Amino acid sequence: MRPAPDAAALQVRAATAADLPAIAALHTGARAAYHRARFPDTHFDVVAERARRHDAWLRDLARGDTPALCAARHGTVVGAASYRHRADHHRPAVTLHQLHVDPHHWGTGVGRALHAACLRAWRAAGFSRAVLDVLWHNHRARAFYTRLGWRPDPDRRPAPDATHLTLWLDLATPPAAPAPGAPAPAAPDPAGR
């Protein structure tokens, strides 16, 4: 059963080496969940996959150019994100490298909280543009990013056999305030982001 959202209990902070096992586990579980939709008979949440995720996050946490965040609810790590600084057409840009939420916490605002923390950090650092690659068949993630203003990058059209879609977000223009009388912001994303 999915826990009820508890915004007060959710804390987004810098990830540390102590968070590594939990981040690797939730990342493996999230990958298994979204890959299962396309490959239902394949097992993705296996020891070898968890070891690969562990090693990848260990490298990210050790890199100076890859800040990592985690979201914890009641002391349990339930989401993680990392990003990298990059040059993009001579403009300050940042790449959202990872954003994953434990599938048991999908739809509870964890992904939105991580995304908001990334936006604050990126804007404070002066970035004008953010990019990310999302798996083409991960419709939940694509819908999540679309709702948050990400758009397909016109400079990076996918090849016909491409597995990823590149999205971008303009950070120089703050999000528009809702018009008077506009409906309230949407409820947390059912995709768990």
Side-chain angles (χ1 to χ4, degrees):
M1 175 175 241
R2 189 173 291 167
D6 184 359
L10 186 64
Q11 175 193 20
V12 176
R13 59 175 172 74
T16 68
D19 301 314
L20 189 54
I23 291 172
L26 75 86
H27 185 165
T28 303
R31 284 177 54 88
Y34 61 73
H35 281 309
R36 199 172 292 120
R38 187 167 184 207
F39 306 105
D41 297 327
T42 305
H43 300 285
F44 292 96
D45 193 357
V46 295
V47 173
E49 182 62 20
R50 192 171 290 194
R52 279 191 288 279
R53 298 301 111 215
H54 180 278
D55 291 349
W57 279 95
L58 179 64
R59 286 189 301 274
D60 279 358
L61 289 172
R63 289 177 63 137
D65 67 342
T66 308
L69 303 172
C70 67
R73 181 171 276 141
H74 300 293
T76 300
V77 175
V78 295
S82 68
Y83 53 91
R84 292 186 181 152
H85 307 167
R86 55 177 269 157
D88 186 35
H89 303 288
H90 307 290
R91 291 177 290 182
V94 63
T95 299
L96 180 57
H97 179 59
Q98 304 283 352
L99 194 156
H100 301 283
V101 174
D102 180 324
H104 295 102
H105 292 266
W106 284 2
T108 65
V110 174
R112 285 182 181 271
L114 283 165
H115 186 266
C118 287
L119 288 178
R120 284 190 299 275
W122 299 342
R123 287 186 171 121
F127 291 109
S128 61
R129 178 178 168 89
V131 296
L132 65 84
D133 285 331
V134 62
L135 283 169
W136 185 264
H137 70 270
N138 190 344
H139 300 289
R140 288 178 174 193
R142 289 174 56 188
F144 166 74
Y145 292 120
T146 298
R147 282 191 297 278
L148 294 173
W150 294 78
R151 300 290 175 253
D153 189 335
D155 296 334
R156 297 186 184 167
R157 299 250 182 229
D161 60 347
T163 59
H164 290 79
L165 176 66
T166 300
L167 303 177
W168 75 280
L169 182 67
D170 179 8
L171 299 173
T173 306
D189 175 10
R193 300 299 201 140

